[in-house]
């Protein structure tokens, strides 16, 4: 059989590739003889993925709840993957930055619209019964979502507004983490005692969070933006992308979550506690927390009125 020029070129490229790592090309080619052709289900790991849903009750709508949150976590992983590309990019351009931000925003747009799956796709009566088996677990304990926040902005922008004046870049990370805005949702506001929701979350992830915030201290999305040349910072498309991402995450998505929680936990009576025991209404509403990833792309009036128009 005559070897075509295109095939010869590929073989030369493969030889160069394996020579660079001290590997024998013939060994790898022989391995191809015995390898099974890849299939969709092997590549996607379909069987493993579809066996991750384990109900704790017999209510059918609990399966909706489980799968919905697992899909959220997969989307969070996609978001972190995109952020990582920007944060670790050594020659960042406005085009690359804005394209990745819009990818992230589309993921959050999808997350926002997907709340209809729960708000319209689960019976309130079923939820109010199977939710008791979830206590004290809570979506509050999504480590990936917390990492998205850490990787998006300077840590000071995630500190409870009451403590921002007393915290700066010289503050130990462990002390700063004790004053993050979401700490208030896991503490008794009178005694300061941490709930099991928060203490279990920290026991699992605190060291990981400290390492992660150190890594992203100078390469988070906002830090990367501020390190760009002034003309790039003023690129209209990049500014629009940053505003869209910031508002989508910290207002639109949060309010979609809040409205869904209201339907299930505030059904004509006093609001019920979230499964983790948090004061979910004040914890979630943007107008109270004023979480803003990129303050410099907003006017003082927009910051003052943050979350007021929803």
């Amino acid at each position: 059989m005559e070897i075509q020029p295109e095939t010869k070129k590929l073989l030369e490229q493969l030889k160069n590739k394996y020579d660079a790592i001290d590997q024998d090309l013939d060994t790898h080619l022989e391995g191809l003889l015995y390898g099974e052709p890849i299939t969709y289900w092997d590549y996607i790991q379909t069987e493993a993925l579809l066996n991750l849903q384990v109900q704790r009750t017999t209510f059918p709508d609990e399966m909706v709840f489980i799968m919905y949150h697992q899909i959220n976590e997969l989307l969070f992983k996609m978001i972190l993957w995109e952020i990582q590309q920007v944060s670790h990019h050594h020659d960042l351009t406005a085009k690359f930055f804005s394209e990745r931000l819009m990818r992230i925003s589309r993921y959050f747009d999808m997350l926002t619209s997907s709340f209809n799956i729960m708000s319209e796709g689960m019976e309130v009566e079923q939820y109010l019964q199977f939710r008791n088996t979830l206590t004290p677990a809570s979506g509050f304990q999504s480590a990936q979502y917390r990492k998205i926040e850490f990787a998006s902005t300077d840590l000071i922008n995630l500190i409870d507004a009451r403590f921002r004046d007393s915290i700066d870049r010289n503050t130990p990370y462990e002390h700063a983490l004790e004053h993050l805005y979401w700490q208030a949702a896991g503490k008794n506001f009178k005694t300061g005692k941490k709930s099991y929701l928060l203490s279990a979350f920290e026991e699992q992830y605190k060291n990981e969070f400290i390492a992660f915030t150190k890594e992203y201290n100078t390469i988070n999305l906002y830090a990367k933006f501020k390190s760009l040349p002034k003309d790039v910072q003023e690129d209209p498309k990049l500014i629009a992308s940053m505003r869209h991402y910031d508002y989508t995450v910290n207002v639109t998505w949060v309010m979609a979550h809040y409205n869904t929680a209201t339907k299930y936990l505030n059904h004509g009576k006093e609001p019920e506690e979230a499964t983790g025991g948090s004061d979910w209404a004040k914890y979630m509403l943007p107008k109270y927390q004023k979480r803003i990833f990129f303050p410099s792309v907003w006017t003082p009036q927009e910051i003052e009125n943050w979350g007021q128009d929803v």
Side-chain angles (χ1 to χ4, degrees), residues 52-71 117-118 120-135 137 264 275:
L52 294 175
Q53 295 75 43
V54 181
Q55 288 183 256
R56 295 174 63 88
T57 72
T58 58
F59 293 104
D61 282 355
E62 186 192 1
M63 186 61 82
V64 176
F65 189 83
I66 292 170
M67 286 190 283
Y68 175 77
H69 283 83
Q70 289 181 342
I71 291 168
I117 293 171
M118 284 210 300
E120 304 299 331
M122 293 193 310
E123 294 179 6
V124 173
E125 293 77 13
Q126 285 193 47
Y127 174 73
L128 291 177
Q129 292 183 74
F130 76 69
R131 72 184 293 271
N132 291 328
T133 68
L134 309 181
T135 305
Y264 288 99
T275 51

Side-chain angles (χ1 to χ4, degrees), residues 222 225 233 238-239 242-243 246 294-299 302:
Y222 193 36
F225 171 73
Q233 288 187 39
L238 178 56
I239 292 292
M242 295 187 73
R243 287 170 61 92
D246 207 349
F294 316 127
S296 64
V297 305
W298 302 98
T299 67
E302 287 173 326

Side-chain angles (χ1 to χ4, degrees), residues 45 56 82 114 117 137 141 207 224 279 281 284 300 302 304:
Q45 293 290 294
R56 295 174 63 88
E82 301 294 349
S114 73
I117 293 171
Q141 296 170 316
N207 290 337
K224 295 291 281 190
D279 183 357
M284 295 178 71
E302 287 173 326
E304 178 66 26

Side-chain angles (χ1 to χ4, degrees), residues 151-165:
S152 292
T153 191
D154 294 336
L155 194 59
I156 191 66
N157 294 323
L158 302 175
I159 298 294
D160 189 314
R162 296 171 296 173
F163 308 117
R164 287 182 187 174
D165 290 340

Side-chain angles (χ1 to χ4, degrees), residues 112-248:
T112 301
S113 62
S114 73
F115 270 108
N116 287 335
I117 293 171
M118 284 210 300
S119 63
E120 304 299 331
M122 293 193 310
E123 294 179 6
V124 173
E125 293 77 13
Q126 285 193 47
Y127 174 73
L128 291 177
Q129 292 183 74
F130 76 69
R131 72 184 293 271
N132 291 328
T133 68
L134 309 181
T135 305
S138 168
F140 172 98
Q141 296 170 316
S142 171
Q144 287 200 114
Y145 184 72
R146 300 305 169 197
K147 286 183 176 181
I148 289 171
E149 293 182 316
F150 295 145
S152 292
T153 191
D154 294 336
L155 194 59
I156 191 66
N157 294 323
L158 302 175
I159 298 294
D160 189 314
R162 296 171 296 173
F163 308 117
R164 287 182 187 174
D165 290 340
S166 63
I167 289 177
D168 57 31
R169 284 195 174 276
N170 296 318
T171 302
Y173 286 95
E174 187 161 354
H175 179 76
L177 290 177
E178 286 290 327
H179 294 82
L180 292 169
Y181 79 89
W182 43 264
Q183 285 274 340
K187 292 178 181 175
N188 183 302
F189 72 95
K190 291 181 180 177
T191 66
K193 182 181 178 182
K194 294 183 180 182
S195 65
Y196 179 79
L197 162 82
L198 181 56
S199 59
F201 186 47
E202 290 185 332
E203 182 178 350
Q204 179 71 17
Y205 292 111
K206 187 172 184 178
N207 290 337
E208 188 175 334
F209 284 166
I210 291 174
F212 192 86
T213 53
K214 286 181 179 179
E215 177 186 354
Y216 279 85
N217 181 39
T218 58
I219 61 170
N220 63 72
L221 294 180
Y222 193 36
K224 295 291 281 190
F225 171 73
K226 291 184 292 184
S227 72
L228 294 171
K230 186 173 176 58
D231 62 317
V232 179
Q233 288 187 39
E234 294 174 349
D235 181 86
K237 188 172 182 180
L238 178 56
I239 292 292
S241 299
M242 295 187 73
R243 287 170 61 92
H244 181 81
Y245 173 54
D246 207 349
Y247 194 84
T248 299

